[in-house]
Amino acid sequence: MTNKKEIIAGIIIIGNEVLSGRTQDINTSTIATWLNSLGIEVKEVRVIPDIEEVIIDTVNNLRKKFNYVFTTGGIGPTHDDITSESISEAFNLKYCFHDEAYKILENYYPAGEFNEGRKKMAKMPENAKLIENPLTVAPGFIIKNIYVLPGVPEIMQKMFVSLLEKIQKGTPKKIITINTNLYESAISIDLEKIQMKFKECSIGSYPFFNYITKAGGVNIVISSWTIENLDDISKEIQNMISLLGGKSSIV
């Protein structure tokens, strides 16, 4: 086992379009997957509307609980993009033009096309640090432990890459997946006993069924932030499956 320092994070997905179902949220899985690979455990995800009071309350709540908070959405040029202004309010900071962001945008757009909406994307909390945007140049920003990113997945992903070298990393989560042809009902009791024995790991069972082949089974996922080697747990589960007459393999 290892005594790693726990580094934890929260994610805030901001946007009425996500709550309405018009836009599918794939930013959560992208961010969580990357953070877990860096040894940063995602503890909470919230999906909230474009309402100033809700954004302020959510940011203030999560920033006190976690080392890092990542927000996506609401930093574009339209009237309902209010994330930057709301986060300024949350920190009691002036909401104003960021000189460097303004210059980046001004230099990007042809003469006469740097309109008021595009200028709005240069406004953020005073003294915020910029997050580079290699696709559309409009930057995100960092204020203390809040990392503010756009909602468009393709842009968010490119911008997130630039953060990977800047944030503190922990020990990556250890994960092993075991596939078995047995159904959950056959393994549930014995699997619970193994989980009770190894309390420092999480053992999840995820059933699947192929309607074409009429065959199914379960993927058993063992994961832990603290146990250095999961092989003993994996062997015990595979032995249990064998005793129950099933087959298993590491996938």
Side-chain angles (χ1 to χ4, degrees):
M1 296 185 186
T2 180
N3 295 318
K4 83 175 188 72
K5 180 182 178 182
E6 185 181 46
I7 304 176
I8 55 178
I11 300 172
I12 306 172
I13 306 297
I14 302 169
N16 295 331
E17 70 280 1
V18 177
L19 288 168
S20 70
R22 292 192 302 272
T23 298
Q24 184 179 7
D25 169 35
I26 63 174
N27 288 332
T28 294
S29 59
T30 300
I31 295 173
T33 299
W34 279 340
L35 292 179
N36 282 325
S37 72
L38 297 174
I40 301 170
E41 184 176 5
V42 176
K43 288 282 193 180
E44 188 172 345
V45 178
R46 296 196 194 179
V47 182
I48 62 173
D50 298 296
I51 298 175
E52 184 178 30
E53 295 80 2
V54 177
I55 297 171
I56 292 170
D57 289 345
T58 306
V59 167
N60 279 333
N61 181 269
L62 267 60
R63 71 186 177 97
K64 296 171 184 175
K65 295 167 61 176
F66 304 122
N67 301 101
Y68 298 110
V69 177
F70 299 88
T71 80
T72 72
I75 61 172
T78 61
H79 70 281
D80 57 344
D81 288 313
I82 60 170
T83 296
S84 300
E85 186 172 3
S86 300
I87 291 177
S88 300
E89 287 288 333
F91 283 91
N92 293 314
L93 292 171
K94 183 180 179 182
Y95 173 62
C96 58
F97 286 114
H98 188 288
D99 289 344
E100 185 182 351
Y102 193 95
K103 290 176 183 176
I104 290 171
L105 288 161
E106 187 178 34
N107 291 334
Y108 177 75
Y109 290 106
E113 293 186 19
F114 188 38
N115 56 34
E116 291 303 313
R118 288 164 173 167
K119 289 178 182 178
K120 181 185 176 183
M121 295 188 291
K123 296 187 76 173
M124 56 192 67
E126 189 173 26
N127 297 322
K129 297 178 182 177
L130 298 186
I131 301 174
E132 180 185 359
N133 179 348
L135 286 184
T136 62
V137 309
F141 63 87
I142 304 166
I143 191 76
K144 295 191 176 179
N145 64 332
I146 305 291
Y147 292 71
V148 182
L149 295 156
V152 179
E154 294 81 6
I155 303 174
M156 188 284 295
Q157 290 165 17
K158 292 289 186 181
M159 294 173 67
F160 198 93
V161 170
S162 70
L163 297 176
L164 299 183
E165 297 300 319
K166 299 176 182 178
I167 58 179
Q168 182 183 4
K169 301 169 183 62
T171 303
K173 192 177 190 180
K174 305 294 187 302
I175 300 175
I176 291 179
T177 300
I178 301 169
N179 175 275
T180 177
N181 62 328
L182 297 179
Y183 291 107
E184 276 191 310
S185 56
I187 64 174
S188 59
I189 294 175
D190 290 320
L191 196 63
E192 183 179 5
K193 291 177 182 177
I194 296 173
Q195 174 68 91
M196 294 300 293
K197 180 179 177 181
F198 298 99
K199 294 182 179 180
E200 285 194 61
C201 76
S202 172
I203 302 174
S205 62
Y206 305 94
F208 62 88
F209 188 80
N210 189 316
Y211 287 94
I212 297 175
T213 63
K214 306 298 183 184
V218 178
N219 285 320
I220 301 169
V221 179
I222 314 163
S223 61
S224 179
W225 291 98
T226 57
I227 300 176
E228 194 67 34
N229 192 310
L230 302 177
D231 288 348
D232 290 343
I233 306 169
S234 175
K235 289 176 183 176
E236 186 153 341
I237 291 174
Q238 288 188 284
N239 287 337
M240 175 266 289
I241 291 169
S242 179
L243 289 171
L244 291 172
K247 299 178 181 179
S248 65
S249 60
I250 304 293
V251 296

